[in-house]
Amino acid sequence: MRVLLIGANGYLGRFVADRLLADPAVQLTALGRGDDADVRFDLATGSPGALTRFLDAVHPGVVINCAGATRGGARDLTRHNTVAVATICEALRRSGCGARLVQIGCGAEYGPSQPGSSTAEDAVPRPGGPYGVSKLAATELVLGSGLDAVVLRVFSPAGPGTPAGSPLGRLAEAMRRAMQSGDGELKLGGLGAQRDFIDVRDVARAVHAASLSAAQGVINIGSGRAVRLRDAASVLARVAGFGGALHELDSPGGPVRPTLGHPRSDPDHVAPAAYPYPDGCGSWQQADVRTARDRLGWRPRINLEESLADIWMEAACRI
């Protein structure tokens, strides 16, 4: 099976590439903006015609798109998350390869949900920020393209390679700094949000399964369990061997710090942000993952403690 992987050098893409390379039946080609890609191509600026010519030459059976941006202004997010997907869809429509498209979406497309609820694929998306809007627009392009396509809505990926700017990455970095400086306490903000964390290696397994299946439409990929960030912080402290005290800076009904591990030298700097999580999903997100089980034969295997241990291993190497 010939697979074209777009975004192989990104956080998710690296693990998807490893998973596919472990399958002897897969012949993998990586397309991306970096020098180490098999083919250099910028989806945000490249033309559908140029991509069509490449597709006709390589003739993949599956195209997997892991590329995209999680940060930046609305313009950049639109270019990298929406315009790029429009280019892929148009190129696939023009091409004679007939490839199946596996698009990586995100839980932020749903926006805030009711605490205690599980969000299923038939929920009406109401993204709460430009990132979720740009990803939802990409999903709608894929679903309306007429292609053989599936969108995997990945909730909150965790595990090795977790970006330092993500909530769990910031948490690990704050703990590393506290241990390095010998602080007996760690003051953190924004720990009230609850998210559905899913290990990035489980995400890669889901992508592999989707590439082999005939499933179409939207499929949630998550653990099916919301975890409060303060509970994740406690698990990380145990994994790291941090014996100090964890103090939460948030005050009920009052302003919250927008990031974890805000410098202690700036005690008066608080922001009246409604949600410390920048994904626009409010205080709660939990995926209903029954569709992934039924249509992909997929279940998560790696628990959050193992994911956090791997995040800490990388952070500890910076001590």
Side-chain angles (χ1 to χ4, degrees):
M1 181 175 66
R2 292 181 180 176
V3 176
L4 175 64
L5 176 59
I6 303 172
N9 292 322
Y11 173 38
L12 296 180
R14 292 195 298 272
F15 289 92
V16 171
D18 289 344
R19 178 75 187 185
L20 294 172
L21 289 170
D23 184 346
V26 170
Q27 180 181 334
L28 183 64
T29 301
L31 181 148
R33 291 181 292 168
D35 293 336
D36 48 356
D38 296 323
V39 178
R40 291 191 65 183
F41 189 85
D42 188 342
L43 289 169
T45 58
S47 70
L51 184 57
T52 299
R53 291 189 291 273
F54 175 72
L55 291 171
D56 288 339
V58 175
H59 213 78
V62 178
V63 174
I64 300 172
N65 181 32
C66 293
T70 59
R71 297 179 178 277
R75 182 177 182 180
D76 286 339
L77 291 169
T78 300
R79 286 177 59 242
H80 293 292
N81 294 338
T82 309
V83 174
V85 172
T87 298
I88 295 171
C89 290
E90 181 60 24
L92 283 170
R93 278 195 295 263
R94 295 182 188 182
S95 173
C97 69
R100 171 173 172 77
L101 174 61
V102 179
Q103 164 70 12
I104 306 303
C106 69
E109 295 175 43
Y110 290 116
S113 56
Q114 187 68 27
S117 66
S118 292
T119 303
E121 289 84 357
D122 59 357
V124 177
R126 294 186 176 89
Y131 172 61
V133 170
S134 68
K135 293 294 287 186
L136 177 60
T139 291
E140 294 299 332
L141 285 170
V142 171
L143 297 180
S145 67
L147 300 169
D148 173 14
V150 63
V151 178
L152 302 183
R153 276 190 178 144
V154 178
F155 277 61
S156 297
T162 293
S166 71
L168 292 182
R170 293 197 302 271
L171 178 61
E173 178 60 17
M175 196 164 292
R176 181 195 69 81
R177 290 198 306 265
M179 294 178 71
Q180 188 174 26
S181 62
D183 286 349
E185 62 178 8
L186 182 57
K187 295 182 178 180
L188 301 168
L191 297 182
Q194 297 182 71
R195 288 293 180 268
D196 187 327
F197 295 106
I198 179 68
D199 192 273
V200 67
R201 292 158 292 193
D202 279 334
V203 174
R205 288 178 43 247
V207 173
H208 188 201
S211 69
L212 298 173
S213 77
Q216 296 187 339
V218 174
I219 300 178
N220 289 341
I221 303 299
S223 69
R225 182 174 70 93
V227 175
R228 197 180 300 273
L229 264 177
R230 72 170 62 97
D231 295 331
S234 296
V235 173
L236 185 63
R238 184 174 71 251
V239 167
F242 177 69
L246 296 176
H247 296 293
E248 190 169 356
L249 295 172
D250 297 359
S251 57
V256 298
R257 294 184 184 270
T259 59
L260 291 161
H262 206 288
R264 296 170 63 188
S265 59
D266 189 13
D268 297 322
H269 180 74
V270 294
Y275 308 118
Y277 235 82
D279 57 9
C281 293
S283 62
W284 172 276
Q285 253 203 346
Q286 178 173 283
D288 182 329
V289 294
R290 289 175 293 180
T291 301
R293 178 196 63 198
D294 297 341
R295 300 179 65 190
L296 301 181
W298 174 90
R299 295 174 186 268
R301 294 178 181 172
I302 300 173
N303 61 38
L304 181 58
E305 183 166 351
E306 183 174 345
S307 301
L308 289 169
D310 289 327
I311 292 172
W312 174 249
M313 283 286 289
E314 293 181 348
C317 288
R318 296 193 290 271
I319 293 179

